[in-house]
Amino acid sequence: MAQLWGGRFEGEINELAWKFNASIYFDKRLIKQDVQGSKAHVTMLAKQGIISEEEADSIRNGLDEILKDVQEGKLEITDKYEDIHSFLEANLIDRIGDAGKKMHTGRSRNDQVALDMRLYIREEVKSTAEALYDILDTLNKIMKDNLHTYMPGFTHLQKAQPVTLAHHLGAYFEMFYRDAHRLMDVFTRLNFCPLGSGALAGTTYPLDREYTAELLNFTGPTANSMDSVSDRDYLIEFLSSLSIIMMHLSRFSEEVIIWNSNEYNFVTIDDAYSTGSSIMPQKKNPDIAELVRGKTGRVYGALNSLLVTMKGIPLAYDKDMQEDKEVSFDAIDTVKSCLVLFTDMLRTMKFNKEQMEKSAIRGFTDATDAADYLVNKGVPFRDAHGIIGRIVLHCLEKECGISDLSIEELKEFAPQFEEDIYDAISLKTCVEKRLTVGAPGPKAMEKAVARNEKRLNAYWTGMDSFKTE
């Protein structure tokens, strides 16, 4: 058992307790960040004259060799080590001797792991932002191609008013664009370096924390050493942002599942993102969309788990905080895989435009415009609302739409109806005359698509805080 403590202990730790306490099973994922942070730390130690330049060179070279051997499969990370920190230090000492024992000078595992997680999450925030860019780009391309694809808009899952596919998908563009900016906010707050905080009270060594932060491309050092080692706010914020992303993906998945049903038949999902039934040969199931919807609860669980873990912890570091990693790693992996798969599914999905338009026509989505028509003819809105309601009841009995009624039939309900009613309540008219900002009219949507293209072109420019290299 390789560990970084034990001098004051006379007996060996219980084997089961060792395994229960150890984090090597999951924090081995942080090896690259641990090497990165350790190299910056010894560079600073040499600059401050705490260790020699030769010792710093030996440590840095040794760490690079260990990382290379692990990545190439020449060196295995085993459970004889308590954590990734002890693995690296033990192997470094084996390779370079006493110089390796100086790597930990002026540092605690508390500020070391706090640094590793910030470095790791910093990369994952950027990686998630890249996945969001892909879905935003895909959405805007589909919007551009479907400015005149009519479909019913819904409230309460009931057909309400006609919109376009571009308008409907534009709502999801806005959601995911807000998600991207939430990530930028998370990045801004997490990008401070805790290294040099020690166990909780700093150190008597003359460390240059500003220099270490600069070497690691942080905005600066954290301001309070106790907060530095016990803070997981940035991780809670990131998990919260991931949960909102999954909520948006889940809502979208729910719509894809409904649209894919035989009753709607709005979309055809590519075979690459569907599965069949073991007993019913006719089935083609939207399993990817269903799994994205299902995995949302898994990410919510990670957020709730960390909130519950942190709520009762006194300052400063406590071992409970070790529970931050497994749930976070799982949530991050889950969200990124969901974003990639959903984007690919969306990119290959076929939209059944004729079926969408027929559904809008059959669903009385023109009723509001019919009422507005009467208002423009001098009928008070409340009276017009009642007249159109009675016409809808009549159409339900006849199993037809408003536009299927003759002008004579319409005049029985209101004498103000003229032949121009049919043009006034056509899907084209209903959609095209809605031109205010955010509305589904093609001119309004052309502006929205152009605005989205500008947003995408400036995506990384507007997120300069993501630049860490």
Side-chain angles (χ1 to χ4, degrees):
M1 297 178 181
Q3 60 204 38
L4 302 179
W5 50 271
R8 61 95 66 214
F9 289 79
E10 294 181 353
E12 291 289 332
I13 188 172
N14 174 275
E15 184 176 353
L16 182 60
W18 167 268
K19 291 181 179 179
F20 188 71
N21 179 69
S23 59
I24 191 69
Y25 310 102
F26 49 85
D27 70 10
K28 60 185 177 182
R29 179 187 291 227
L30 299 174
I31 184 170
K32 187 179 80 169
Q33 289 75 25
D34 208 61
V35 167
Q36 183 183 0
S38 295
K39 287 171 66 178
H41 182 65
V42 298
T43 299
M44 180 274 298
L45 291 178
K47 170 184 172 291
Q48 297 298 98
I50 299 170
I51 63 174
S52 69
E53 289 289 351
E54 292 76 15
E55 289 169 327
D57 283 340
S58 181
I59 292 170
R60 286 191 295 259
N61 292 335
L63 289 170
D64 285 338
E65 289 174 4
I66 292 170
L67 179 60
K68 183 172 181 288
D69 286 349
V70 169
Q71 291 173 336
E72 293 178 354
K74 298 176 182 177
L75 178 62
E76 183 182 1
I77 302 175
T78 69
D79 60 5
K80 82 172 188 175
Y81 302 96
E82 182 181 4
D83 51 38
I84 194 61
H85 322 300
S86 56
F87 166 82
L88 275 173
E89 187 165 328
N91 278 276
L92 182 67
I93 293 169
D94 286 345
R95 295 188 182 205
I96 70 171
D98 285 348
K101 297 178 181 178
K102 296 186 177 184
M103 178 175 68
H104 206 57
T105 305
R107 185 173 68 169
S108 164
R109 277 191 301 178
N110 293 357
D111 61 343
Q112 187 177 0
V113 72
L115 171 69
D116 289 358
M117 278 301 284
R118 282 181 186 256
L119 289 172
Y120 181 82
I121 297 302
R122 192 169 70 174
E123 291 180 15
E124 293 302 324
V125 168
K126 185 174 181 180
S127 179
T128 306
E130 289 169 350
L132 281 172
Y133 177 90
D134 288 341
I135 196 169
L136 287 166
D137 185 54
T138 298
L139 281 168
N140 203 48
K141 286 174 180 174
I142 298 173
M143 289 169 63
K144 191 173 185 179
D145 292 338
N146 289 278
L147 297 174
H148 300 279
T149 301
Y150 303 121
M151 65 175 291
F154 296 84
T155 63
H156 310 281
L157 256 186
Q158 306 219 16
K159 295 172 187 176
Q161 291 179 294
V163 295
T164 62
L165 180 59
H167 186 242
H168 195 112
L169 296 187
Y172 286 104
F173 187 99
E174 297 301 323
M175 294 181 208
F176 292 123
Y177 192 72
R178 289 195 297 270
D179 289 331
H181 276 267
R182 262 185 286 273
L183 293 181
M184 181 176 66
D185 291 341
V186 171
F187 194 100
T188 300
R189 278 185 287 278
L190 79 83
N191 200 37
F192 289 86
C193 183
L195 198 58
S197 298
L200 78 159
T203 177
T204 57
Y205 292 100
L207 306 184
D208 186 343
R209 293 193 61 211
E210 286 80 5
Y211 180 64
T212 308
E214 181 183 340
L215 288 174
L216 293 168
N217 295 300
F218 282 103
T219 303
T222 50
N224 181 283
S225 59
M226 293 184 77
D227 179 59
S228 301
V229 298
S230 63
D231 169 39
R232 295 297 183 271
D233 288 2
Y234 67 93
L235 194 48
I236 291 169
E237 281 192 66
F238 186 39
L239 290 178
S240 176
S241 296
L242 294 183
S243 295
I244 296 173
I245 291 171
M246 288 302 295
M247 180 264 288
H248 293 153
L249 280 174
S250 185
R251 293 182 71 182
F252 207 164
S253 293
E254 174 71 7
E255 296 211 287
V256 168
I257 292 162
I258 292 171
W259 291 355
N260 182 70
S261 67
N262 295 332
E263 286 71 20
Y264 278 77
N265 193 28
F266 283 5
V267 300
T268 301
I269 300 173
D270 191 88
D271 287 356
Y273 303 97
S274 304
T275 64
S277 166
S278 63
I279 188 172
M280 295 169 285
Q282 82 280 13
K283 295 294 293 298
K284 183 179 177 182
N285 301 323
D287 281 11
I288 299 303
E290 290 175 353
L291 280 170
V292 170
R293 184 178 61 183
K295 289 180 183 293
T296 301
R298 183 170 180 161
V299 178
Y300 288 2
L303 171 60
N304 192 57
S305 176
L306 188 54
L307 284 168
V308 172
T309 296
M310 294 300 298
K311 74 177 182 63
I313 296 178
L315 291 174
Y317 180 82
D318 296 271
K319 195 71 171 187
D320 315 44
M321 293 182 192
Q322 184 169 288
E323 289 297 301
D324 67 344
K325 294 174 189 59
E326 287 180 280
V327 293
S328 297
F329 294 158
D330 182 77
I332 291 165
D333 293 345
T334 297
V335 173
K336 288 201 300 183
S337 65
C338 286
L339 276 170
V340 170
L341 278 168
F342 191 92
T343 301
D344 288 343
M345 180 183 69
L346 184 62
R347 192 179 288 125
T348 57
M349 191 182 297
K350 289 184 173 61
F351 295 92
N352 304 327
K353 300 180 182 182
E354 289 185 10
Q355 178 63 22
M356 287 176 153
E357 185 169 337
K358 286 179 183 177
S359 180
I361 294 170
R362 288 195 302 264
F364 298 106
T365 59
D366 53 359
T368 301
D369 292 86
D372 290 340
Y373 170 89
L374 289 176
V375 170
N376 289 328
K377 296 289 185 177
V379 179
F381 176 77
R382 189 53 55 204
D383 292 340
H385 187 283
I387 291 167
I388 300 302
R390 291 191 293 275
I391 290 175
V392 168
L393 278 175
H394 178 69
C395 289
L396 287 171
E397 291 175 3
K398 291 190 64 174
E399 296 184 353
C400 68
I402 297 174
S403 59
D404 295 323
L405 298 177
S406 67
I407 191 65
E408 289 76 21
E409 287 177 290
L410 289 170
K411 281 182 174 291
E412 290 178 11
F413 291 93
Q416 290 85 355
F417 281 115
E418 302 293 344
E419 289 290 343
D420 60 350
I421 179 60
Y422 299 107
D423 180 62
I425 63 173
S426 71
L427 284 183
K428 187 174 184 293
T429 303
C430 289
V431 171
E432 288 188 355
K433 69 184 181 182
R434 288 177 161 80
L435 299 175
T436 55
V437 174
K443 290 184 179 179
M445 288 309 302
E446 283 174 6
K447 292 178 182 178
V449 168
R451 182 175 65 250
N452 291 346
E453 287 176 351
K454 288 182 180 179
R455 288 162 151 184
L456 291 169
N457 289 335
Y459 190 79
W460 296 111
T461 304
M463 297 186 180
D464 286 335
S465 58
F466 282 141
K467 296 178 181 177
T468 59
E469 298 175 0

